[in-house]
Amino acid sequence: MPERVYLDWNATTPLRPEARAAMAAAWDIAGNPSSVHAEGRQARRVVEDARAAIAAAVGGRPQDVVFTSGGTEANALALTPGVRHGSGQPARRLLVSAIEHTSVLSGGRFSPEAIGTIDVTGSGLVDLDHLRRLLAAGPPALVSVMLANNETGAIQPISEVADVVHEAGGLLHIDAIQALGKIPFEIKSLNADLITLSAHKIGGPKGVGALVLGEDVQLEALLRGGGQELGRRAGTENVAGIAAFGAATSAAMAALAPNARRLQSLQERLEKGLMQTASMIVFSADVPRLPNTTLFTVPGLKAETAVIGFDLGGIAVSSGSACSSGKVQPSHVLSAMGIARDLAQGAVRLSLGWSTSEADIDLALQAWRKLADALLRGRRNTA
């Protein structure tokens, strides 16, 4: 069987060797990290080393990193009515951008009537004027805006969003799951109050995530019953997964700059090759994007047909988010951007990673040329 090419890194990533080694070593530790004996202290040391690595990656403090079972739980923990900064006013409502991940759009623990949706532009960026109007129309709000979109790769102007939110007395939550390890950022420079991260997007294992709090941000625990994570998330820590998360984060941050440059070059190679074959649209191409993400469509293309065609050609791609039970369906992100349904139905995402090579891109372009030729033949036959 010919070797396959994996170009769905935004859905999940292969396990980094560093993460695999850290996980294997942690499996041999018998202690519970809450125990005071030597074995427990050994497990605690592993957890705290990983906590320090993740805090360093986003310019936070180790004591403000809360480990969770993944990005969805971290988002649910962040989206808590009453979350506040110090003695400031607690958030009584939630405002989310229309292009957020479904775990944010669901609103966490806010009631449906307390949730508002922020419009985005045709390029996929938050409409700051609409955000201002929403903030002015009610009590203090928690605002949730992702740093980089998982489908289009569009990078939001978070510093500007933060200024608008804080001027109105609100708090800002950033879902940075797709951005970690791809672009540099820090919680303080973004002026964010809460940041969500996930291990399996950067070469760690599935089922581990983190919520990083800004200094003096207070919220109510989602899972209760124990004093773990400074009382902010009950349950015995996943020592092996956390160890691997820390190792993956350190490896990703150490190679961030050169990998971003390399991915940018591969992205340009990919998009140039795609455009030579058929008249196509690359979404959010006119705004800053992640260097690894290309979401495109061709009039008349059906995403399901394209994804299957790529797969038969040995190339793993997706039609957008991988959190829809395997279904190929029109993207809520593109709908929010005002993209016509017939174009949105044909959107295909190729996302690259640290082991993607020029040869992988060339193989993907070969597969695309076959698909495009079939599409053009079909058009001629129906003309």
Side-chain angles (χ1 to χ4, degrees):
M1 182 176 179
E3 186 175 349
R4 289 180 58 81
V5 174
Y6 186 73
L7 297 180
D8 199 17
W9 291 70
N10 283 11
T12 195
T13 61
L15 195 65
R16 289 180 183 268
E18 298 90 343
R20 187 185 301 275
M23 184 180 292
W27 282 331
D28 291 330
I29 298 173
N32 184 312
S34 295
S35 299
V36 299
H37 47 59
E39 290 81 359
R41 294 195 303 273
Q42 184 181 13
R44 171 55 55 190
R45 192 158 49 248
V46 169
V47 170
E48 296 310 318
D49 286 348
R51 197 187 307 278
I54 290 161
V58 299
R61 303 186 306 174
Q63 63 266 39
D64 293 325
V65 176
V66 184
F67 286 117
T68 68
S69 65
T72 293
E73 186 194 330
N75 281 334
L77 176 59
L79 306 184
T80 303
V83 61
R84 66 186 188 277
H85 186 273
S87 58
Q89 289 187 297
R92 294 169 51 193
R93 58 192 178 119
L94 174 67
L95 302 177
V96 301
S97 87
I99 59 169
E100 296 302 304
H101 187 271
T102 51
S103 64
V104 171
L105 290 173
S106 66
R109 286 176 280 177
F110 282 85
S111 61
E113 60 271 15
I115 303 171
T117 303
I118 311 162
D119 292 342
V120 298
T121 68
S123 298
L125 300 184
V126 167
D127 185 329
L128 293 175
D129 288 335
H130 188 229
L131 173 58
R132 289 188 184 95
R133 293 195 297 273
L134 290 173
L135 287 167
L142 172 64
V143 176
S144 184
V145 176
M146 56 174 41
L147 178 51
N149 188 261
N150 52 310
E151 295 188 26
T152 65
I155 300 171
Q156 297 294 331
I158 293 297
S159 294
E160 296 176 56
V161 172
D163 288 342
V164 172
V165 171
H166 292 142
E167 285 173 6
L171 287 89
L172 179 61
H173 165 247
I174 302 299
D175 180 339
I177 288 172
Q178 287 294 342
L180 184 63
K182 297 171 187 171
I183 57 174
F185 65 90
E186 291 191 346
I187 188 168
K188 289 184 179 178
S189 61
L190 291 178
N191 203 10
D193 299 294
L194 309 101
I195 287 183
T196 298
L197 308 171
S198 181
H200 76 102
K201 304 294 188 179
I202 59 165
K206 303 170 185 67
V208 186
L211 177 65
V212 184
L213 308 178
E215 293 184 21
D216 205 24
V217 170
Q218 302 174 39
L219 50 68
E220 181 182 338
L222 175 64
L223 297 181
R224 304 176 184 176
Q228 293 90 349
E229 300 301 293
L230 296 180
R232 294 174 297 202
R233 200 272 187 181
T236 301
E237 294 90 345
N238 175 3
V239 177
I242 289 170
F245 189 5
T249 300
S250 295
M253 297 307 294
L256 190 153
N259 193 49
R261 289 192 295 269
R262 191 182 66 83
L263 288 175
Q264 185 76 62
S265 175
L266 292 176
Q267 183 188 56
E268 292 170 359
R269 183 187 186 97
L270 170 65
E271 293 181 2
K272 181 179 179 181
L274 290 171
M275 291 177 181
Q276 288 176 345
T277 306
S279 176
M280 58 173 290
I281 300 167
V282 175
F283 297 107
S284 297
D286 59 335
V287 297
R289 281 184 295 152
L290 293 175
N292 79 314
T293 305
T294 297
L295 182 69
F296 77 96
T297 192
V298 172
L301 181 68
K302 297 298 182 184
E304 185 170 9
T305 301
V307 170
I308 293 172
F310 271 113
D311 191 44
L312 291 174
I315 317 295
V317 304
S318 74
S319 61
S321 174
C323 300
S324 301
S325 302
K327 298 177 182 178
V328 176
Q329 54 190 358
S331 161
H332 75 277
V333 172
L334 296 181
S335 177
M337 291 166 57
I339 304 302
R341 184 176 177 84
D342 60 333
L343 289 178
Q345 286 180 326
V348 177
R349 184 187 70 189
L350 282 70
S351 50
L352 322 179
W354 63 81
S355 67
T356 305
S357 66
E358 290 187 357
D360 292 336
I361 298 301
D362 292 342
L363 288 171
L365 289 173
Q366 288 178 24
W368 167 243
R369 281 191 285 271
K370 292 180 181 179
L371 286 169
D373 287 345
L375 175 64
L376 293 173
R377 284 198 302 273
R379 287 177 179 173
R380 286 194 294 267
N381 292 338
T382 58

mmCIF file of all heavy atoms in Angstrom, residues 274-324:
data_model
loop_
_atom_site.group_PDB
_atom_site.id
_atom_site.type_symbol
_atom_site.label_atom_id
_atom_site.label_comp_id
_atom_site.label_asym_id
_atom_site.label_seq_id
_atom_site.Cartn_x
_atom_site.Cartn_y
_atom_site.Cartn_z
ATOM 1 N N LEU A 274 -2.594 24.975 -6.487
ATOM 2 C CA LEU A 274 -4.046 24.835 -6.568
ATOM 3 C C LEU A 274 -4.630 25.802 -7.580
ATOM 4 O O LEU A 274 -5.503 25.445 -8.379
ATOM 5 C CB LEU A 274 -4.669 25.087 -5.192
ATOM 6 C CG LEU A 274 -4.431 24.033 -4.103
ATOM 7 C CD1 LEU A 274 -4.937 24.544 -2.755
ATOM 8 C CD2 LEU A 274 -5.109 22.708 -4.447
ATOM 9 N N MET A 275 -4.146 27.029 -7.554
ATOM 10 C CA MET A 275 -4.694 28.076 -8.415
ATOM 11 C C MET A 275 -4.343 27.870 -9.880
ATOM 12 O O MET A 275 -5.033 28.366 -10.774
ATOM 13 C CB MET A 275 -4.209 29.440 -7.942
ATOM 14 C CG MET A 275 -4.804 29.857 -6.616
ATOM 15 S SD MET A 275 -4.149 31.443 -6.046
ATOM 16 C CE MET A 275 -5.007 31.610 -4.479
ATOM 17 N N GLN A 276 -3.284 27.132 -10.161
ATOM 18 C CA GLN A 276 -2.902 26.881 -11.548
ATOM 19 C C GLN A 276 -3.828 25.884 -12.226
ATOM 20 O O GLN A 276 -3.871 25.795 -13.447
ATOM 21 C CB GLN A 276 -1.465 26.353 -11.600
ATOM 22 C CG GLN A 276 -0.414 27.405 -11.298
ATOM 23 C CD GLN A 276 0.989 26.826 -11.268
ATOM 24 O OE1 GLN A 276 1.185 25.609 -11.204
ATOM 25 N NE2 GLN A 276 1.983 27.706 -11.312
ATOM 26 N N THR A 277 -4.577 25.143 -11.419
ATOM 27 C CA THR A 277 -5.385 24.052 -11.962
ATOM 28 C C THR A 277 -6.815 24.452 -12.276
ATOM 29 O O THR A 277 -7.391 24.023 -13.267
ATOM 30 C CB THR A 277 -5.398 22.872 -10.964
ATOM 31 O OG1 THR A 277 -4.052 22.514 -10.666
ATOM 32 C CG2 THR A 277 -6.107 21.666 -11.540
ATOM 33 N N ALA A 278 -7.406 25.290 -11.420
ATOM 34 C CA ALA A 278 -8.803 25.665 -11.620
ATOM 35 C C ALA A 278 -9.061 27.019 -10.972
ATOM 36 O O ALA A 278 -8.321 27.454 -10.091
ATOM 37 C CB ALA A 278 -9.725 24.598 -11.001
ATOM 38 N N SER A 279 -10.113 27.678 -11.413
ATOM 39 C CA SER A 279 -10.521 28.944 -10.809
ATOM 40 C C SER A 279 -11.048 28.652 -9.413
ATOM 41 O O SER A 279 -12.021 27.911 -9.254
ATOM 42 C CB SER A 279 -11.613 29.607 -11.659
ATOM 43 O OG SER A 279 -12.072 30.774 -11.050
ATOM 44 N N MET A 280 -10.402 29.219 -8.414
ATOM 45 C CA MET A 280 -10.732 28.847 -7.047
ATOM 46 C C MET A 280 -10.719 30.049 -6.132
ATOM 47 O O MET A 280 -10.234 31.126 -6.477
ATOM 48 C CB MET A 280 -9.752 27.800 -6.526
ATOM 49 C CG MET A 280 -8.302 28.247 -6.565
ATOM 50 S SD MET A 280 -7.205 27.092 -5.759
ATOM 51 C CE MET A 280 -7.661 27.320 -4.061
ATOM 52 N N ILE A 281 -11.259 29.852 -4.937
ATOM 53 C CA ILE A 281 -11.304 30.880 -3.902
ATOM 54 C C ILE A 281 -10.616 30.334 -2.669
ATOM 55 O O ILE A 281 -10.929 29.232 -2.205
ATOM 56 C CB ILE A 281 -12.761 31.241 -3.559
ATOM 57 C CG1 ILE A 281 -13.499 31.781 -4.776
ATOM 58 C CG2 ILE A 281 -12.809 32.243 -2.405
ATOM 59 C CD1 ILE A 281 -14.998 31.857 -4.591
ATOM 60 N N VAL A 282 -9.665 31.095 -2.122
ATOM 61 C CA VAL A 282 -9.054 30.772 -0.829
ATOM 62 C C VAL A 282 -9.678 31.705 0.195
ATOM 63 O O VAL A 282 -9.566 32.928 0.081
ATOM 64 C CB VAL A 282 -7.525 30.950 -0.862
ATOM 65 C CG1 VAL A 282 -6.942 30.720 0.537
ATOM 66 C CG2 VAL A 282 -6.891 29.980 -1.854
ATOM 67 N N PHE A 283 -10.337 31.154 1.174
ATOM 68 C CA PHE A 283 -11.040 31.964 2.162
ATOM 69 C C PHE A 283 -10.067 32.646 3.121
ATOM 70 O O PHE A 283 -9.056 32.064 3.520
ATOM 71 C CB PHE A 283 -12.041 31.106 2.935
ATOM 72 C CG PHE A 283 -13.132 30.544 2.069
ATOM 73 C CD1 PHE A 283 -13.144 29.195 1.732
ATOM 74 C CD2 PHE A 283 -14.130 31.363 1.566
ATOM 75 C CE1 PHE A 283 -14.138 28.676 0.924
ATOM 76 C CE2 PHE A 283 -15.125 30.850 0.747
ATOM 77 C CZ PHE A 283 -15.137 29.504 0.423
ATOM 78 N N SER A 284 -10.386 33.893 3.471
ATOM 79 C CA SER A 284 -9.590 34.720 4.393
ATOM 80 C C SER A 284 -8.183 34.981 3.870
ATOM 81 O O SER A 284 -7.275 35.280 4.649
ATOM 82 C CB SER A 284 -9.525 34.082 5.789
ATOM 83 O OG SER A 284 -10.812 34.000 6.370
ATOM 84 N N ALA A 285 -8.008 34.918 2.544
ATOM 85 C CA ALA A 285 -6.685 35.139 1.960
ATOM 86 C C ALA A 285 -6.226 36.586 2.081
ATOM 87 O O ALA A 285 -5.033 36.873 1.925
ATOM 88 C CB ALA A 285 -6.682 34.713 0.495
ATOM 89 N N ASP A 286 -7.160 37.497 2.354
ATOM 90 C CA ASP A 286 -6.821 38.921 2.413
ATOM 91 C C ASP A 286 -6.513 39.409 3.827
ATOM 92 O O ASP A 286 -6.323 40.603 4.039
ATOM 93 C CB ASP A 286 -7.962 39.750 1.827
ATOM 94 C CG ASP A 286 -9.289 39.531 2.554
ATOM 95 O OD1 ASP A 286 -9.459 38.456 3.166
ATOM 96 O OD2 ASP A 286 -10.157 40.429 2.496
ATOM 97 N N VAL A 287 -6.467 38.485 4.799
ATOM 98 C CA VAL A 287 -6.149 38.866 6.185
ATOM 99 C C VAL A 287 -5.057 37.932 6.703
ATOM 100 O O VAL A 287 -4.785 36.886 6.106
ATOM 101 C CB VAL A 287 -7.394 38.783 7.088
ATOM 102 C CG1 VAL A 287 -8.456 39.765 6.623
ATOM 103 C CG2 VAL A 287 -7.948 37.362 7.140
ATOM 104 N N PRO A 288 -4.399 38.306 7.806
ATOM 105 C CA PRO A 288 -3.374 37.410 8.362
ATOM 106 C C PRO A 288 -3.960 36.036 8.680
ATOM 107 O O PRO A 288 -5.053 35.927 9.241
ATOM 108 C CB PRO A 288 -2.940 38.138 9.640
ATOM 109 C CG PRO A 288 -3.218 39.576 9.365
ATOM 110 C CD PRO A 288 -4.473 39.591 8.556
ATOM 111 N N ARG A 289 -3.229 34.997 8.290
ATOM 112 C CA ARG A 289 -3.679 33.624 8.523
ATOM 113 C C ARG A 289 -2.570 32.801 9.155
ATOM 114 O O ARG A 289 -1.388 33.150 9.081
ATOM 115 C CB ARG A 289 -4.049 32.952 7.196
ATOM 116 C CG ARG A 289 -5.389 33.315 6.620
ATOM 117 C CD ARG A 289 -5.646 32.503 5.363
ATOM 118 N NE ARG A 289 -4.718 32.823 4.283
ATOM 119 C CZ ARG A 289 -4.345 31.986 3.329
ATOM 120 N NH1 ARG A 289 -4.785 30.732 3.319
ATOM 121 N NH2 ARG A 289 -3.510 32.367 2.377
ATOM 122 N N LEU A 290 -2.946 31.690 9.746
ATOM 123 C CA LEU A 290 -1.950 30.728 10.189
ATOM 124 C C LEU A 290 -1.144 30.268 8.983
ATOM 125 O O LEU A 290 -1.688 30.109 7.886
ATOM 126 C CB LEU A 290 -2.621 29.516 10.840
ATOM 127 C CG LEU A 290 -3.354 29.756 12.157
ATOM 128 C CD1 LEU A 290 -4.064 28.472 12.597
ATOM 129 C CD2 LEU A 290 -2.387 30.226 13.239
ATOM 130 N N PRO A 291 0.158 30.020 9.165
ATOM 131 C CA PRO A 291 0.998 29.647 8.027
ATOM 132 C C PRO A 291 0.776 28.218 7.534
ATOM 133 O O PRO A 291 1.411 27.812 6.562
ATOM 134 C CB PRO A 291 2.416 29.808 8.584
ATOM 135 C CG PRO A 291 2.272 29.565 10.051
ATOM 136 C CD PRO A 291 0.937 30.145 10.416
ATOM 137 N N ASN A 292 -0.124 27.486 8.187
ATOM 138 C CA ASN A 292 -0.305 26.081 7.802
ATOM 139 C C ASN A 292 -1.685 25.778 7.232
ATOM 140 O O ASN A 292 -1.961 24.627 6.895
ATOM 141 C CB ASN A 292 -0.092 25.179 9.020
ATOM 142 C CG ASN A 292 -1.314 25.136 9.930
ATOM 143 O OD1 ASN A 292 -1.896 26.180 10.251
ATOM 144 N ND2 ASN A 292 -1.713 23.959 10.337
ATOM 145 N N THR A 293 -2.574 26.776 7.131
ATOM 146 C CA THR A 293 -3.982 26.493 6.861
ATOM 147 C C THR A 293 -4.459 27.097 5.548
ATOM 148 O O THR A 293 -4.292 28.295 5.316
ATOM 149 C CB THR A 293 -4.861 27.037 8.007
ATOM 150 O OG1 THR A 293 -4.411 26.491 9.250
ATOM 151 C CG2 THR A 293 -6.325 26.668 7.799
ATOM 152 N N THR A 294 -5.075 26.254 4.715
ATOM 153 C CA THR A 294 -5.675 26.694 3.461
ATOM 154 C C THR A 294 -7.065 26.098 3.356
ATOM 155 O O THR A 294 -7.234 24.875 3.312
ATOM 156 C CB THR A 294 -4.839 26.233 2.253
ATOM 157 O OG1 THR A 294 -3.540 26.830 2.307
ATOM 158 C CG2 THR A 294 -5.525 26.606 0.937
ATOM 159 N N LEU A 295 -8.074 26.972 3.331
ATOM 160 C CA LEU A 295 -9.459 26.550 3.109
ATOM 161 C C LEU A 295 -9.883 27.135 1.767
ATOM 162 O O LEU A 295 -9.890 28.352 1.587
ATOM 163 C CB LEU A 295 -10.366 27.069 4.226
ATOM 164 C CG LEU A 295 -11.843 26.658 4.130
ATOM 165 C CD1 LEU A 295 -12.011 25.166 4.386
ATOM 166 C CD2 LEU A 295 -12.697 27.462 5.106
ATOM 167 N N PHE A 296 -10.228 26.263 0.825
ATOM 168 C CA PHE A 296 -10.531 26.743 -0.523
ATOM 169 C C PHE A 296 -11.782 26.069 -1.067
ATOM 170 O O PHE A 296 -12.254 25.051 -0.546
ATOM 171 C CB PHE A 296 -9.349 26.492 -1.459
ATOM 172 C CG PHE A 296 -9.220 25.056 -1.922
ATOM 173 C CD1 PHE A 296 -9.742 24.653 -3.141
ATOM 174 C CD2 PHE A 296 -8.558 24.117 -1.139
ATOM 175 C CE1 PHE A 296 -9.625 23.330 -3.576
ATOM 176 C CE2 PHE A 296 -8.437 22.797 -1.554
ATOM 177 C CZ PHE A 296 -8.971 22.412 -2.785
ATOM 178 N N THR A 297 -12.292 26.646 -2.132
ATOM 179 C CA THR A 297 -13.408 26.032 -2.842
ATOM 180 C C THR A 297 -13.318 26.387 -4.317
ATOM 181 O O THR A 297 -12.628 27.332 -4.709
ATOM 182 C CB THR A 297 -14.761 26.498 -2.271
ATOM 183 O OG1 THR A 297 -15.802 25.667 -2.792
ATOM 184 C CG2 THR A 297 -15.051 27.941 -2.634
ATOM 185 N N VAL A 298 -14.023 25.616 -5.095
ATOM 186 C CA VAL A 298 -14.175 25.860 -6.531
ATOM 187 C C VAL A 298 -15.664 25.788 -6.832
ATOM 188 O O VAL A 298 -16.349 24.856 -6.370
ATOM 189 C CB VAL A 298 -13.421 24.799 -7.360
ATOM 190 C CG1 VAL A 298 -13.745 24.940 -8.840
ATOM 191 C CG2 VAL A 298 -11.924 24.912 -7.137
ATOM 192 N N PRO A 299 -16.218 26.754 -7.560
ATOM 193 C CA PRO A 299 -17.647 26.687 -7.890
ATOM 194 C C PRO A 299 -18.011 25.340 -8.499
ATOM 195 O O PRO A 299 -17.347 24.845 -9.415
ATOM 196 C CB PRO A 299 -17.820 27.834 -8.895
ATOM 197 C CG PRO A 299 -16.759 28.818 -8.511
ATOM 198 C CD PRO A 299 -15.584 27.976 -8.097
ATOM 199 N N GLY A 300 -19.045 24.729 -7.956
ATOM 200 C CA GLY A 300 -19.492 23.435 -8.455
ATOM 201 C C GLY A 300 -18.898 22.250 -7.728
ATOM 202 O O GLY A 300 -19.355 21.111 -7.896
ATOM 203 N N LEU A 301 -17.892 22.483 -6.899
ATOM 204 C CA LEU A 301 -17.250 21.398 -6.163
ATOM 205 C C LEU A 301 -18.090 21.030 -4.945
ATOM 206 O O LEU A 301 -18.638 21.890 -4.274
ATOM 207 C CB LEU A 301 -15.854 21.830 -5.705
ATOM 208 C CG LEU A 301 -15.007 20.802 -4.941
ATOM 209 C CD1 LEU A 301 -14.613 19.652 -5.861
ATOM 210 C CD2 LEU A 301 -13.758 21.469 -4.368
ATOM 211 N N LYS A 302 -18.190 19.744 -4.662
ATOM 212 C CA LYS A 302 -18.832 19.259 -3.449
ATOM 213 C C LYS A 302 -17.747 18.747 -2.501
ATOM 214 O O LYS A 302 -16.920 17.922 -2.885
ATOM 215 C CB LYS A 302 -19.823 18.134 -3.758
ATOM 216 C CG LYS A 302 -20.989 18.565 -4.647
ATOM 217 C CD LYS A 302 -21.841 19.639 -3.976
ATOM 218 C CE LYS A 302 -23.019 20.043 -4.836
ATOM 219 N NZ LYS A 302 -23.795 21.154 -4.243
ATOM 220 N N ALA A 303 -17.768 19.249 -1.274
ATOM 221 C CA ALA A 303 -16.705 18.919 -0.337
ATOM 222 C C ALA A 303 -16.597 17.414 -0.107
ATOM 223 O O ALA A 303 -15.493 16.861 -0.050
ATOM 224 C CB ALA A 303 -16.939 19.642 0.990
ATOM 225 N N GLU A 304 -17.731 16.749 0.024
ATOM 226 C CA GLU A 304 -17.693 15.307 0.287
ATOM 227 C C GLU A 304 -17.000 14.568 -0.848
ATOM 228 O O GLU A 304 -16.181 13.675 -0.618
ATOM 229 C CB GLU A 304 -19.111 14.778 0.485
ATOM 230 C CG GLU A 304 -19.147 13.314 0.887
ATOM 231 C CD GLU A 304 -20.532 12.862 1.312
ATOM 232 O OE1 GLU A 304 -21.502 13.632 1.129
ATOM 233 O OE2 GLU A 304 -20.640 11.737 1.824
ATOM 234 N N THR A 305 -17.309 14.960 -2.079
ATOM 235 C CA THR A 305 -16.664 14.342 -3.242
ATOM 236 C C THR A 305 -15.170 14.596 -3.225
ATOM 237 O O THR A 305 -14.361 13.688 -3.489
ATOM 238 C CB THR A 305 -17.277 14.913 -4.536
ATOM 239 O OG1 THR A 305 -18.670 14.644 -4.548
ATOM 240 C CG2 THR A 305 -16.612 14.298 -5.757
ATOM 241 N N ALA A 306 -14.779 15.840 -2.890
ATOM 242 C CA ALA A 306 -13.363 16.195 -2.876
ATOM 243 C C ALA A 306 -12.614 15.459 -1.774
ATOM 244 O O ALA A 306 -11.510 14.935 -2.005
ATOM 245 C CB ALA A 306 -13.203 17.703 -2.704
ATOM 246 N N VAL A 307 -13.191 15.407 -0.580
ATOM 247 C CA VAL A 307 -12.524 14.731 0.542
ATOM 248 C C VAL A 307 -12.335 13.251 0.231
ATOM 249 O O VAL A 307 -11.267 12.677 0.483
ATOM 250 C CB VAL A 307 -13.331 14.927 1.846
ATOM 251 C CG1 VAL A 307 -12.786 14.037 2.956
ATOM 252 C CG2 VAL A 307 -13.285 16.383 2.286
ATOM 253 N N ILE A 308 -13.368 12.623 -0.345
ATOM 254 C CA ILE A 308 -13.256 11.209 -0.715
ATOM 255 C C ILE A 308 -12.226 11.024 -1.823
ATOM 256 O O ILE A 308 -11.420 10.083 -1.808
ATOM 257 C CB ILE A 308 -14.629 10.655 -1.146
ATOM 258 C CG1 ILE A 308 -15.580 10.616 0.059
ATOM 259 C CG2 ILE A 308 -14.488 9.262 -1.758
ATOM 260 C CD1 ILE A 308 -17.013 10.273 -0.304
ATOM 261 N N GLY A 309 -12.247 11.942 -2.809
ATOM 262 C CA GLY A 309 -11.280 11.857 -3.904
ATOM 263 C C GLY A 309 -9.853 11.990 -3.418
ATOM 264 O O GLY A 309 -8.966 11.222 -3.827
ATOM 265 N N PHE A 310 -9.604 12.952 -2.549
ATOM 266 C CA PHE A 310 -8.274 13.084 -1.957
ATOM 267 C C PHE A 310 -7.902 11.815 -1.196
ATOM 268 O O PHE A 310 -6.775 11.319 -1.274
ATOM 269 C CB PHE A 310 -8.222 14.289 -1.011
ATOM 270 C CG PHE A 310 -7.848 15.592 -1.659
ATOM 271 C CD1 PHE A 310 -8.777 16.631 -1.752
ATOM 272 C CD2 PHE A 310 -6.571 15.803 -2.153
ATOM 273 C CE1 PHE A 310 -8.438 17.849 -2.336
ATOM 274 C CE2 PHE A 310 -6.217 17.012 -2.735
ATOM 275 C CZ PHE A 310 -7.151 18.033 -2.838
ATOM 276 N N ASP A 311 -8.843 11.290 -0.430
ATOM 277 C CA ASP A 311 -8.576 10.103 0.392
ATOM 278 C C ASP A 311 -8.215 8.909 -0.481
ATOM 279 O O ASP A 311 -7.266 8.164 -0.191
ATOM 280 C CB ASP A 311 -9.807 9.795 1.243
ATOM 281 C CG ASP A 311 -9.536 8.746 2.308
ATOM 282 O OD1 ASP A 311 -8.486 8.818 2.970
ATOM 283 O OD2 ASP A 311 -10.373 7.841 2.482
ATOM 284 N N LEU A 312 -8.952 8.726 -1.569
ATOM 285 C CA LEU A 312 -8.638 7.627 -2.489
ATOM 286 C C LEU A 312 -7.268 7.823 -3.134
ATOM 287 O O LEU A 312 -6.606 6.852 -3.515
ATOM 288 C CB LEU A 312 -9.723 7.523 -3.563
ATOM 289 C CG LEU A 312 -11.104 7.053 -3.069
ATOM 290 C CD1 LEU A 312 -12.128 7.144 -4.196
ATOM 291 C CD2 LEU A 312 -11.019 5.636 -2.514
ATOM 292 N N GLY A 313 -6.851 9.090 -3.235
ATOM 293 C CA GLY A 313 -5.532 9.380 -3.775
ATOM 294 C C GLY A 313 -4.430 9.336 -2.736
ATOM 295 O O GLY A 313 -3.282 9.689 -3.033
ATOM 296 N N GLY A 314 -4.788 8.923 -1.510
ATOM 297 C CA GLY A 314 -3.786 8.781 -0.459
ATOM 298 C C GLY A 314 -3.528 10.054 0.329
ATOM 299 O O GLY A 314 -2.534 10.129 1.052
ATOM 300 N N ILE A 315 -4.421 11.038 0.213
ATOM 301 C CA ILE A 315 -4.218 12.318 0.884
ATOM 302 C C ILE A 315 -5.345 12.539 1.893
ATOM 303 O O ILE A 315 -6.527 12.537 1.514
ATOM 304 C CB ILE A 315 -4.213 13.499 -0.111
ATOM 305 C CG1 ILE A 315 -3.389 13.163 -1.369
ATOM 306 C CG2 ILE A 315 -3.729 14.770 0.566
ATOM 307 C CD1 ILE A 315 -1.918 12.962 -1.108
ATOM 308 N N ALA A 316 -5.002 12.736 3.166
ATOM 309 C CA ALA A 316 -6.001 12.998 4.199
ATOM 310 C C ALA A 316 -6.218 14.498 4.325
ATOM 311 O O ALA A 316 -5.308 15.241 4.699
ATOM 312 C CB ALA A 316 -5.546 12.421 5.540
ATOM 313 N N VAL A 317 -7.425 14.960 3.984
ATOM 314 C CA VAL A 317 -7.812 16.364 4.134
ATOM 315 C C VAL A 317 -9.187 16.378 4.801
ATOM 316 O O VAL A 317 -9.757 15.330 5.105
ATOM 317 C CB VAL A 317 -7.854 17.099 2.780
ATOM 318 C CG1 VAL A 317 -6.509 16.990 2.065
ATOM 319 C CG2 VAL A 317 -8.975 16.552 1.895
ATOM 320 N N SER A 318 -9.739 17.568 5.019
ATOM 321 C CA SER A 318 -11.065 17.643 5.622
ATOM 322 C C SER A 318 -11.876 18.739 4.951
ATOM 323 O O SER A 318 -11.364 19.511 4.130
ATOM 324 C CB SER A 318 -10.963 17.920 7.123
ATOM 325 O OG SER A 318 -10.610 19.270 7.350
ATOM 326 N N SER A 319 -13.140 18.818 5.344
ATOM 327 C CA SER A 319 -14.001 19.878 4.835
ATOM 328 C C SER A 319 -14.128 21.020 5.826
ATOM 329 O O SER A 319 -14.917 21.932 5.624
ATOM 330 C CB SER A 319 -15.401 19.327 4.528
ATOM 331 O OG SER A 319 -15.993 18.822 5.707
ATOM 332 N N GLY A 320 -13.360 20.973 6.909
ATOM 333 C CA GLY A 320 -13.413 22.023 7.933
ATOM 334 C C GLY A 320 -13.214 21.435 9.303
ATOM 335 O O GLY A 320 -12.281 20.669 9.522
ATOM 336 N N SER A 321 -14.098 21.741 10.232
ATOM 337 C CA SER A 321 -13.967 21.251 11.595
ATOM 338 C C SER A 321 -14.141 19.744 11.640
ATOM 339 O O SER A 321 -14.965 19.172 10.928
ATOM 340 C CB SER A 321 -15.003 21.912 12.501
ATOM 341 O OG SER A 321 -14.973 21.346 13.783
ATOM 342 N N ALA A 322 -13.364 19.091 12.538
ATOM 343 C CA ALA A 322 -13.465 17.640 12.700
ATOM 344 C C ALA A 322 -14.360 17.270 13.869
ATOM 345 O O ALA A 322 -14.295 16.167 14.374
ATOM 346 C CB ALA A 322 -12.068 17.046 12.912
ATOM 347 N N CYS A 323 -15.207 18.183 14.330
ATOM 348 C CA CYS A 323 -16.012 17.947 15.528
ATOM 349 C C CYS A 323 -17.489 17.827 15.197
ATOM 350 O O CYS A 323 -18.352 18.269 15.938
ATOM 351 C CB CYS A 323 -15.784 19.080 16.532
ATOM 352 S SG CYS A 323 -14.067 19.212 17.050
ATOM 353 N N SER A 324 -17.796 17.209 14.063
ATOM 354 C CA SER A 324 -19.192 17.083 13.641
ATOM 355 C C SER A 324 -19.554 15.632 13.369
ATOM 356 O O SER A 324 -20.261 15.319 12.419
ATOM 357 C CB SER A 324 -19.452 17.940 12.394
ATOM 358 O OG SER A 324 -19.175 19.294 12.642
#
